[in-house]
Amino acid sequence: MPSSTKSVVTVHDLVWKTHPKTMPFLQRLSERVWMPSSVKKSDAIIAVSQTTRSTLEDSLPYSNGKVCVIKHASLVKRSADYSSCVHQDRNHFLAVGTLEPRKNYVRLIRAFNLYSRSGGQKDLVIVGRDGWKTAAMYRELDDSPYRERIHVMHDVTDQKLVELYTKAFCLVSTSLDEGFGLPLLEARAFGLPLCISAIPIYQELFADAEVWFDPKSVHQIADSFQKISSCRCEYVPRFNSTSGSKDLERCRAEHRNLFLKVLGEVNDRGVLIDS
């Protein structure tokens, strides 16, 4: 773009730098080439978390002074009959995210095998579209002696996703790295306990999670299934029926104020500047 054109860049993560082997070669190459130049030329940068901001500023020092943290908001809403489902039997662990190496599904399946071998009775539901480098995950899935209890679902509708959240026992995330963690935010809106990786972004945003584990340890993940199963989970939503819309409005307002600031129409305090 011409240098006179104002630009704002949003950075979700720097996986190309922190976990490059989990990405397809061309995508890794394009982000490695274009992200630094885009960040350098931008008038402002949106990071979706403090963790992303710190990683960005450490990796690309010329971003310092231009980064604003604006956290995501969830669009998933509880169904009207959610309250009638709160006390039903919850028979599955739920994992949500694109099928790709960074989500660490191979270790998740191996851990579920150990959990089931020791007598665990709950099923595992993995929701996510096919991404890349999925062959290893599907091999692990096919080789599992508990294959009939592992359900992989692609391209589910919002309505179906709400149903899965409503009936889940907990939300499991074995991710090696994330920029945010929208499924965890959505799970909290349904009162689900969190059984998650001890990675910096989750420690920042979901410090009150019920169970933590090292995502590179199959045995720790398996143990976490046992720990969360023994918890007395009350399934109390962390957000009321209006929290989601308020959070979305907050997110929109913060974006709008930043755009106006870049255009020189508001000052640092968000007050309109007389033209």
Side-chain angles (χ1 to χ4, degrees):
M1 295 185 295
S3 58
S4 59
T5 303
K6 300 289 186 180
S7 67
V8 177
V9 172
T10 299
V11 177
H12 292 90
D13 56 58
L14 283 86
V15 174
W16 61 270
K17 191 172 183 66
T18 59
H19 291 84
K21 293 183 179 180
T22 65
M23 300 178 69
F25 173 74
L26 289 179
Q27 182 183 349
R28 180 173 78 242
L29 180 62
S30 66
E31 291 199 20
R32 181 179 177 182
V33 171
W34 292 112
M35 186 182 290
S37 61
S38 298
V39 164
K40 193 168 188 177
K41 292 178 181 178
S42 65
D43 295 281
I45 305 161
I46 297 172
V48 297
S49 67
Q50 292 291 348
T51 299
T52 299
R53 177 179 186 166
S54 298
T55 305
L56 177 62
E57 291 179 341
D58 289 344
S59 303
L60 305 175
Y62 43 80
S63 64
N64 278 264
K66 296 199 294 183
V67 186
C68 174
V69 174
I70 301 179
K71 296 179 181 178
H72 283 313
S74 171
L75 292 172
V76 173
K77 298 179 180 179
R78 297 197 303 270
S79 58
D81 62 348
Y82 168 79
S83 58
S84 65
C85 303
V86 168
H87 300 294
Q88 68 182 355
D89 291 336
R90 294 171 178 264
N91 61 359
H92 66 264
F93 301 117
L94 178 63
V96 180
T98 303
L99 308 186
E100 52 109 337
R102 182 165 48 93
K103 303 300 183 182
N104 205 20
Y105 288 138
V106 169
R107 289 192 181 97
L108 173 61
I109 293 171
R110 289 175 182 172
F112 182 77
N113 291 340
L114 292 179
Y115 157 80
S116 299
R117 194 177 304 153
S118 65
Q121 296 298 309
K122 298 190 183 303
D123 286 6
L124 172 63
V125 176
I126 300 173
V127 177
R129 62 178 176 81
D130 269 327
W132 50 88
K133 297 184 177 181
T134 59
M137 189 210 79
Y138 282 117
R139 281 197 303 270
E140 200 68 40
L141 185 64
D142 290 339
D143 291 342
S144 172
Y146 306 97
R147 175 65 183 85
E148 73 282 357
R149 290 174 46 207
I150 304 174
H151 314 277
V152 178
M153 307 176 68
H154 307 284
D155 300 317
V156 302
T157 63
D158 286 348
Q159 182 179 0
K160 182 62 178 179
L161 184 58
V162 166
E163 179 185 338
L164 290 169
Y165 276 127
T166 301
K167 295 179 179 179
F169 180 78
C170 73
L171 192 285
V172 178
S173 176
T174 51
S175 288
L176 299 171
D177 190 19
E178 288 289 344
F180 192 79
L182 268 176
L184 281 68
L185 188 65
E186 294 165 355
R188 280 308 202 203
F190 287 83
L192 294 187
L194 302 179
C195 182
I196 58 178
S197 302
I199 55 177
I201 182 63
Y202 287 171
Q203 292 174 327
E204 173 195 340
L205 299 174
F206 305 99
D208 60 348
E210 283 73 14
V211 177
W212 298 91
F213 53 77
D214 176 355
K216 294 183 179 180
S217 170
V218 171
H219 286 280
Q220 278 199 31
I221 300 170
D223 288 345
S224 75
F225 285 136
Q226 298 289 0
K227 289 178 182 177
I228 200 74
S229 297
S230 65
C231 289
R232 297 187 64 182
C233 304
E234 297 184 11
Y235 302 102
V236 178
R238 302 300 173 94
F239 313 105
N240 60 36
S241 59
T242 62
S243 294
S245 58
K246 288 180 179 178
D247 200 34
L248 188 59
E249 283 305 313
R250 181 270 310 161
C251 188
R252 287 172 175 162
E254 290 178 359
H255 277 82
R256 179 177 179 274
N257 287 341
L258 180 62
F259 296 152
L260 291 175
K261 180 181 174 183
V262 167
L263 292 171
E265 296 181 19
V266 299
N267 60 24
D268 290 340
R269 293 172 294 149
V271 178
L272 286 171
I273 298 172
D274 292 335
S275 56

